[in-house]
């Protein structure tokens, strides 16, 4: 079945890791960039739409600045990214143009997607580029990204981009051939897992924690990206990005790598954005009645059902809803700050009015702004 889903792919996001386009001490791997470009244009020429998410700015900048070691200080990393990004882009542009394809550079921060207006704007821009047959080349805007607005790694960024452009497939080109039963670099008996139907805790454990200095992620962030993509209704394929010609072959049905099935309970885009793009600022612990009403009866959350308020947040922020045992089951946008909620929690609507003298909203989280996750 997965080969049918793959061959029918119309729009795909391809994530290219740093080690595929750069080499420490030698800078950009121009030959390999050409080879990757050839594969990507072959896919685009088959009437599919390719969006690229690429890493490599920082490593390329390190080389250009002749730094001896990988920088850990943020300003230095950002300086390296600024120097490296333009070189990286120049290499892609040259390579794609030689094959007759146009490209556009897009640099994103998490904040660009956490604001619904900016999210929709990014979607419109990307869709327009795709309509013009231009291949968007996206990276995190490392130069201005600091902790709070950072995606942190490009696997996560690529999963979010797959949602923004409503892709059918996320392809993660890696320096390993897919997900193995154990880390193949440490355990020679490890075998490749060809299909993952659901990303369980066991699968996440198999991804381990191994990572190299140059790659911000490692297998675990790839599996987490696949999990996010699945929730967006997008399937993910992890294949070896070192093998020339592999990507077009796989999209024509040749089995390779690990294929992660999408989750078919696809939420509407706005709810996906609430559930998986926004970062929660706090937790609301609810009593059993409220849990039932939210989970099974399609109700909004009222102050009376709240037992405890954790974290600091403002109206419009997103929060996690959990039961008394801490089991998280939903996420939503609150109408009240954490400060006000601590004051009115557990109170009936009529009491809230008396206590506050005004009540802009009856609901703490309106149903339309609530996503039930389990
Ligand atoms: N944005 C970083 C870069 O271009 C890479 C982040 C990552 O590898 O996940 O260098």
């Amino acid at each position: 079945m997965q080969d049918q889903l793959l061959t029918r792919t119309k729009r795909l996001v391809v994530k290219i890791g740093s080690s595929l386009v750069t080499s420490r001490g030698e800078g950009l791997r121009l030959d390999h960039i050409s080879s990757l470009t050839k594969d990507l244009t072959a896919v685009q020429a088959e009437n599919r739409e390719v969006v690229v998410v690429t890493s490599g700015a920082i490593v390329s900048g390190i080389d250009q600045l002749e730094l001896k070691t990988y920088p850990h200080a943020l300003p230095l990393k950002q300086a390296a990214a600024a120097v490296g990004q333009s070189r990286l882009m120049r290499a892609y542009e040259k390579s794609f143009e030689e094959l007759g394809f146009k490209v556009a550079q897009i640099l994103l921060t998490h904040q660009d997607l956490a604001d619904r207006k900016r999210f929709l704007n990014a979607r419109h821009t990307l869709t327009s580029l795709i309509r013009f047959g231009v291949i968007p080349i996206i990276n995190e805007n490392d130069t201005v990204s600091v902790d709070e607005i950072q995606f942190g790694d490009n696997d996560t960024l690529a999963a979010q981009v797959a949602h923004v452009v409503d892709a059918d497939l996320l392809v993660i080109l890696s320096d390993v051939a897919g997900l193995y039963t154990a880390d193949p670099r440490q355990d020679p008996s490890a075998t490749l897992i060809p299909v993952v139907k659901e990303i369980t805790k066991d699968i996440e454990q198999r991804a381990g924690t191994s990572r190299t200095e140059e790659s911000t992620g490692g297998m675990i962030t790839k599996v987490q990206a696949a999990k996010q993509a699945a929730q967006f209704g997008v399937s993910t394929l992890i294949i070896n990005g070192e093998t020339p010609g592999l990507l077009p072959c796989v999209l024509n049905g040749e089995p390779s790598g690990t294929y992660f099935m999408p989750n078919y309970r696809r939420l509407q885009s706005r709810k996906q954005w609430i559930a998986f793009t926004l970062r929660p600022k706090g937790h609301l612990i609810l009593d059993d009645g409220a849990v039932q009403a939210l989970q099974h009866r399609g109700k909004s959350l009222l102050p009376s059902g709240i037992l405890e308020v954790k974290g600091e947040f403002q109206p419009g922020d997103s929060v996690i809803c959990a039961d008394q045992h801490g089991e998280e089951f939903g996420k939503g946008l609150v109408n009240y700050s954490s400060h006000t909620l601590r004051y009115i929690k557990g109170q009936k609507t009529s009491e809230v009015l008396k206590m506050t003298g005004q009540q802009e909203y009856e609901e703490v989280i309106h149903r339309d702004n609530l996503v039930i996750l389990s």
Side-chain angles (χ1 to χ4, degrees):
M1 176 163 127
Q2 76 266 24
D3 36 310
Q4 277 178 23
L5 287 173
L6 285 172
T7 50
R8 277 198 226 129
T9 299
K10 174 81 179 131
R11 184 173 291 177
L12 64 155
V13 172
V14 182
K15 188 263 169 173
I16 302 174
S18 284
S19 66
L20 296 175
V21 290
T22 54
S23 160
R24 276 284 288 282
E26 284 160 50
L28 290 172
R29 294 176 60 192
L30 294 174
D31 287 347
H32 198 57
I33 292 178
S34 291
S35 153
L36 289 166
T37 308
K38 220 163 119 207
D39 288 354
L40 294 165
T41 53
V43 170
Q44 177 95 358
E46 280 177 334
N47 215 9
R48 304 186 209 263
E49 296 158 340
V50 176
V51 174
V52 175
V53 172
T54 185
S55 304
I58 298 178
V59 180
S60 162
I62 290 174
D63 176 67
Q64 184 73 354
L65 295 176
E66 296 177 24
L67 300 178
K68 296 269 172 303
T69 52
Y70 191 89
H72 292 288
L74 190 62
L76 207 52
K77 245 197 240 179
Q78 293 182 318
V83 174
Q85 178 63 30
S86 57
R87 300 175 77 219
L88 180 66
M89 198 57 209
R90 186 152 25 102
Y92 274 114
E93 193 170 47
K94 183 167 176 291
S95 227
F96 274 108
E97 278 183 1
E98 274 168 12
L99 297 165
F101 288 80
K102 294 190 181 72
V103 294
Q105 169 180 270
I106 314 258
L107 300 176
L108 292 172
T109 63
H110 185 266
Q111 224 174 17
D112 295 323
L113 304 187
D115 179 294
R116 188 69 184 158
K117 247 201 205 150
R118 282 159 74 173
F119 174 97
L120 291 174
N121 195 37
R123 169 173 282 179
H124 291 146
T125 308
L126 283 162
T127 320
S128 302
L129 288 168
I130 294 169
R131 223 178 289 127
F132 276 106
V134 174
I135 299 178
I137 301 187
I138 303 171
N139 196 356
E140 175 152 15
N141 196 351
D142 293 307
T143 311
V144 297
S145 281
V146 286
D147 279 358
E148 252 170 66
I149 58 165
Q150 241 172 9
F151 290 102
D153 65 82
N154 276 9
D155 298 319
T156 309
L157 170 63
Q160 293 291 339
V161 168
H163 174 214
V164 176
V165 300
D166 212 2
D168 313 304
L169 176 70
L170 165 64
V171 179
I172 300 183
L173 297 182
S174 170
D175 52 1
V176 284
L179 178 66
Y180 284 78
T181 49
D183 186 342
R185 281 170 286 209
Q186 282 161 25
D187 180 353
S189 68
T191 53
L192 182 80
I193 304 173
V195 181
V196 174
K197 291 208 174 82
E198 194 190 343
I199 301 174
T200 55
K201 290 233 157 62
D202 174 61
I203 289 290
E204 282 176 289
Q205 267 159 15
R206 287 185 194 280
T209 49
S210 69
R211 59 182 61 186
T212 57
E213 205 173 33
E214 284 86 2
S215 73
T216 317
M219 194 45 80
I220 185 64
T221 58
K222 295 180 180 36
V223 170
Q224 280 161 355
K227 191 172 172 182
Q228 261 191 26
Q231 284 158 331
F232 292 137
V234 179
S235 46
T236 299
L237 182 71
I238 302 179
I239 52 169
N240 195 328
E242 291 289 358
T243 317
L246 186 59
L247 179 63
C249 284
V250 172
L251 291 173
N252 286 315
E254 190 176 301
S256 185
T258 303
Y259 179 79
F260 298 78
M261 308 272 278
N263 180 341
Y264 287 103
R265 196 179 67 95
R266 199 175 176 153
L267 297 163
Q268 17 148 281
S269 168
R270 189 168 169 286
K271 290 219 167 176
Q272 287 182 342
W273 173 77
I274 293 174
F276 310 116
T277 300
L278 291 184
R279 290 184 180 151
K281 295 271 172 64
H283 282 69
L284 299 180
I285 310 297
L286 311 183
D287 67 17
D288 293 345
V291 174
Q292 280 291 323
L294 263 55
Q295 252 187 326
H296 304 295
R297 298 210 306 277
K299 301 281 188 202
S300 298
L301 176 65
L302 303 177
S304 57
I306 302 175
L307 295 172
E308 202 186 330
V309 179
K310 293 184 178 172
E312 299 303 322
F313 47 83
Q314 296 303 321
D317 282 344
S318 82
V319 296
I320 300 269
C321 296
D323 68 15
Q324 296 184 55
H325 310 290
E327 196 65 44
E328 300 175 358
F329 66 91
K331 209 173 151 199
L333 305 182
V334 274
N335 288 330
Y336 291 96
S337 70
S338 49
H339 179 74
T340 309
L341 280 183
R342 284 197 179 95
Y343 182 53
I344 62 171
K345 71 178 163 57
Q347 300 295 335
K348 293 222 164 57
T349 307
S350 52
E351 284 305 306
V352 173
L353 191 56
K354 279 189 217 151
M355 288 167 77
T356 56
Q358 54 162 12
Q359 194 180 14
E360 230 178 298
Y361 300 98
E362 197 178 327
E363 311 86 8
V364 175
I365 301 178
H366 189 276
R367 189 70 210 173
D368 293 346
N369 294 329
L370 178 73
V371 187
I372 301 300
L373 296 167
S374 61

